[in-house]
Amino acid sequence: MRVFSAAAAIAMFTPGALLLSACSEKADAGTSLSEPGVATEGAPYVLTGTQVWSVPDPVSGRSYQVFVSLPAGYEANPGRRYPTLYVTDADYAFPIIRQIARRVNLDGPVVQEFILVGLSYAEGDKGADSRRRDYTPTPNGPRSSGAAVHGGGAAYQTYLKTQALPFIEKTFRADPSRRVLLGHSYGGLLGAQILFSDPAMFQSYVLGSPSLWYDKGYMMGVEADYARNHRDLQAQVFMYVGGHEKPGPTRRNSEADMVGDMQTLQRNLESRGYPGLKISSVVLEDEDHLTVAPVGFTRALEAVLPAR
């Protein structure tokens, strides 16, 4: 077991898979910069109370890192099982979601306690290469990505179902009936792929700024195919997007109309009349693809894991 180092906490969240670069005294109380007894001068920042595990994929031969943060009451409640939130692009998203969950509950419970699992990239791969391959449904990547490999989403989905989820539920007291998947950008595209191919893998889906533009709107066709063959979609779906994620005159605007795509997907899903579907979304004004994630994460936790 290793401890998660925040020195690695930079990930790639833009639509073209480009690099995303990324208080009160009360809110920061209890956050430790290093483990007890370890010299701190010049040492890497360590996110205390977190774990890093390697979970191999026997099919591809790759090994993926999985980050874990247990809720505060985990040790004191040995008979309790917890909902589990799995988040893609963990190098970026895991430490942010962990701190958001701590902060919003400072003055009383806003979100319930949950196990946080960060799904990181294949060991030895660059993050951008890993996510392009593993989070996309077809090999037809954007022209701007050159010769980068795309289209391994189905294989990665199988890895999650057969390796990562069983590992977490064997190792920790994770409730398999309360799984949440949160993905942003390409991660949101992966979430949509799972939702329309094997929705029972997770009970709740957060599709953050999902890259529905990918391969000429390929995922919209997948949704339509699902609707032709199914009478129900049992899932809670929450989506968010930044108000600037549409064509416009400033550098903050996106080339693709991600706002319109999200709204179209919601309208389509609502029109199906699925009795088991609960869907909601929000357009976060004055946010763009680079700034929207932390706000979207907060809204997502409030929507899918509200305090009971």
Side-chain angles (χ1 to χ4, degrees), residues 264-293:
T264 297
L265 179 61
Q266 180 165 351
R267 285 195 301 270
N268 290 347
L269 287 170
E270 289 174 338
S271 73
R272 310 303 184 191
Y274 297 131
L277 176 64
K278 180 181 178 181
I279 186 167
S280 59
S281 68
V282 61
V283 177
L284 296 167
E285 298 300 336
D286 203 32
E287 303 293 346
D288 58 40
H289 199 70
L290 299 179
T291 65
V292 72

Side-chain angles (χ1 to χ4, degrees), residues 134-157:
D134 295 333
Y135 296 174
T136 57
T138 74
N140 302 321
R143 288 193 300 270
S144 59
S145 60
V149 175
H150 295 74
Y156 185 71
Q157 177 178 332

Side-chain angles (χ1 to χ4, degrees), residues 230-252:
H230 298 83
R231 296 297 181 90
D232 199 6
L233 178 58
Q234 295 191 19
Q236 178 183 16
V237 178
F238 176 78
M239 300 186 289
Y240 68 81
V241 69
H244 290 293
E245 294 191 74
K246 58 187 177 182
T250 76
R251 63 176 182 82
R252 300 189 67 190

Side-chain angles (χ1 to χ4, degrees), residues 5 10 29 52 65 74 148 166 172 196 202 215 231 236 242-243 251 295 304:
S5 171
I10 298 177
V52 180
Q65 289 190 330
Y74 188 86
F172 304 99
F196 301 133
F202 299 90
D215 193 5
R231 296 297 181 90
Q236 178 183 16
R251 63 176 182 82
V295 187
V304 302

